[in-house]
Each structure stands twice: as C-alpha cells, then as structure tokens.
Amino acid sequence: MVRIGVLVSGSGSNLQSIMDACERGEIDGTVAVVISNDPDAYALTRARSKSVPVASIPHRDYPDRESFDRELVRVLHEYQADLVALAGFMRVLTPWFLQQFPARVINIHPALLPSFPGLHVRQKAIDHGVRISGCTVHFVDAGVDTGPIIIQAAVPVYPEDTEEELKDRILALEHRIYPKAISLFAQGRLRVEGRKVFIRGMSRDGTPCLVNPPLDV
Ligand code: GRF
C-alpha cells in the first residue's frame, strides 16, 4: 500500500480526486499527509474533512528554497510518504528534494506536454489556436514540467473558448488521469527508461482517436 504525500497550494480538486479514489479502493494506497505552502489553501479544508493529516509550511518563513525543501522532506518522512504527488503546488522543488525521492515525485500539468509548460497554459493554448489540448501526469525532474510522461488525456479546444471553459474541460479529465497514474505506480507497473515510461501489462485496445474539428464537420 503506497503512502502518498500530496503537496498543494490552492483549491485541491485533484487532491480530492486522489482521496476519493483511495477511499473507493481504486488506488492501493492512502494519503498519508497533505502539505501546503499556503496556510489558507482550500485543499487543507478538503483534507481535514477526510481526517487526513495536514501541515502548512509557508515558504516565506524560510530564507531559501533548500531550507524550505528540508522542512517538506522532514514532514514527508515523519508521515512515511513513499510517493510525493504535486497537485497544484506552486513552488519549484530543488534537485536536493528530488534526490530524496528518486522517481517518486509526480505532477499533473494542464496541457499536453511538452507543449505549454509553465504557467497560464490554458490561455496560451487558446491564444495559440490549438485544436486539441489536455493534461499530463509526469515524473518530476530538475526542469519545469519536463519529466518522463506517465499518462495524457486530450480535449478539444474551440477558438471561442474562455480560459475558464477550457480549464473546466481539462480539469474533469485531470480528476480521472491523476488517480489512474497513482494507481499504476502503486501497483508497481511503471518502469522509467530515459524519457520513456513503460507500463506493465498495458493494453493498446480501446484508445480512441480525437479529431477536432471532427472529420464530418
Ligand atoms: C490543476 O489545473 C493542475 O493541473 C495544476 O494546478 C491546478 C490545480 O488545481 N498543476 P486543484 O488545486 O487540484 O483544483
């Protein structure tokens, strides 16, 4: 059973989907602790309402990134987390942090990486005029949104979309693929080789094709 430490900064809807999936038995694991760098993050309320332990570690209380990261690691070890899931966590982790959890830190990003890394990516996708965007769960490496990709899901993008509309469309899929990625990790089915993630026992059947606009437009 995997013990998940979830790092958050905001609303925590992905955290919610992970806690719910654990509760339903879809992940062979449990959320061991939720840590926020923002004491007011709604994610902490979500965790408390499920009686999941929480810690708030305001990054401004620390002189530099590494001392902040050291406190994160201390708390993660205290709760014996063996997987770290970033869920809307708005801080970049140091290489030192990543060394403490090799191939054990994952993140969800609201675009189809490597397109649109970084911030404000839904608006960037709309402004670029892409027809398809989506979300990506990936292992975290020293870069920003650059690590090996575990799972991606695609949604159509329409030229008249608002950022909010695209956000909701992508978020609905985030809530499905993040628990799935964690479940695969918990089952020990992920193997990373260089940039690629191989999934043991994965079937290629049933992967639909998304065409936008549809061919019969
Ligand atoms: C999500 O869009 C996620 O992809 C990004 O930050 C957002 C977090 O949303 N990394 P929530 O806090 O899980 O609702």
Side-chain angles (χ1 to χ4, degrees):
M1 182 180 260
V2 69
R3 292 181 60 79
I4 312 158
V6 185
L7 306 192
V8 297
S9 301
S11 140
S13 68
N14 279 288
L15 164 69
Q16 187 77 50
S17 73
I18 295 166
M19 293 189 300
D20 291 347
C22 288
E23 212 168 72
R24 288 195 299 264
E26 291 166 10
I27 295 173
D28 182 20
T30 183
V31 177
V33 64
V34 173
I35 307 175
S36 175
N37 64 308
D38 177 355
D40 299 323
Y42 184 63
L44 294 175
T45 305
R46 293 183 192 264
R48 286 190 194 100
S49 76
K50 295 262 190 196
S51 304
V52 168
V54 300
S56 97
I57 305 178
H59 59 277
R60 288 199 181 82
D61 290 359
Y62 296 82
D64 50 39
R65 278 184 197 279
E66 191 152 322
S67 53
F68 171 67
D69 280 10
R70 281 186 189 279
E71 182 60 7
L72 291 178
V73 168
R74 191 192 65 73
V75 174
L76 287 164
H77 284 332
E78 182 184 335
Y79 288 93
Q80 295 167 322
D82 37 37
L83 172 68
V84 180
L86 312 184
F89 184 63
M90 300 305 284
R91 309 296 301 167
V92 176
L93 297 167
T94 57
W96 178 82
F97 181 103
L98 297 174
Q99 279 162 21
Q100 313 310 306
F101 294 93
R104 284 174 173 269
V105 183
I106 60 177
N107 181 42
I108 186 150
H109 181 75
L112 290 178
L113 294 171
S115 291
F116 307 115
L119 296 174
H120 312 298
V121 298
R122 287 150 297 217
Q123 191 60 53
K124 284 178 187 162
I126 295 167
D127 292 345
H128 192 89
V130 298
R131 295 289 184 183
I132 293 174
S133 190
C135 43
T136 304
V137 180
H138 63 94
F139 285 103
V140 176
D141 65 9
V144 175
D145 303 323
T146 50
I149 292 169
I150 301 169
I151 183 168
Q152 295 186 299
V155 300
V157 181
Y158 306 110
E160 58 276 10
D161 267 342
T162 64
E163 188 177 13
E164 202 60 23
E165 285 169 326
L166 182 57
K167 178 183 168 196
D168 290 346
R169 199 175 303 132
I170 292 174
L171 208 49
L173 276 180
E174 291 184 33
H175 298 159
R176 293 169 65 190
I177 69 168
Y178 211 0
K180 182 68 198 180
I182 293 173
S183 163
L184 291 170
F185 180 96
Q187 292 172 329
R189 290 174 64 190
L190 304 180
R191 188 182 85 249
V192 185
E193 273 182 34
R195 284 220 47 84
K196 293 187 188 172
V197 178
F198 293 87
I199 301 175
R200 184 163 44 77
M202 188 190 105
S203 157
R204 294 186 181 192
D205 301 340
T207 309
C209 179
L210 174 61
V211 183
N212 180 40
L215 296 175
D216 61 356
V217 66

